[in-house]
Amino acid sequence: MAIAVRHKEAQREAVVEFPPGPQPKYGAPQLKPSQIAPELVAKAITSAIAAGWDPLSRGKTVAIVVDASGG
C-alpha cells in the first residue's frame, strides 16, 4: 500500500510505501484510505522528512519505503 503526501503550500510530493499486509480472504475489499490510522501517517511523514524529503523544495516525487509501524 502506498500513499502520496504533499504540503498544502508546496508542490513536491512524497510517495510513502508500506509493506504489503495480509491478503484479504474470500473477496473482501482492500484497505481504504479512511481506515489508515492518522498516527501511522504522521509517523511515516516524519520518517520521510528524516530520510531527506523536503516538501518545500522543488523536484521530482520522492518514494520512501517505511516499515509496518511507519518508521
Side-chain angles (χ1 to χ4, degrees):
M1 174 180 60
I3 58 171
V5 294
R6 181 184 350 183
H7 190 278
K8 69 179 182 177
E9 297 173 359
Q11 58 186 356
R12 189 170 187 193
E13 288 186 343
V15 175
V16 181
E17 298 179 23
F18 294 91
Q23 291 293 324
K25 295 183 180 182
Y26 307 112
Q30 295 286 334
L31 184 67
K32 296 178 184 174
S34 63
Q35 295 172 315
I36 301 171
E39 297 82 19
L40 180 63
V41 174
K43 189 172 180 183
I45 292 171
T46 303
S47 296
I49 291 171
W53 174 57
D54 182 9
L56 299 177
S57 68
R58 296 178 53 184
K60 294 182 179 181
T61 300
V62 177
I64 307 290
V65 179
V66 297
D67 60 12
S69 66

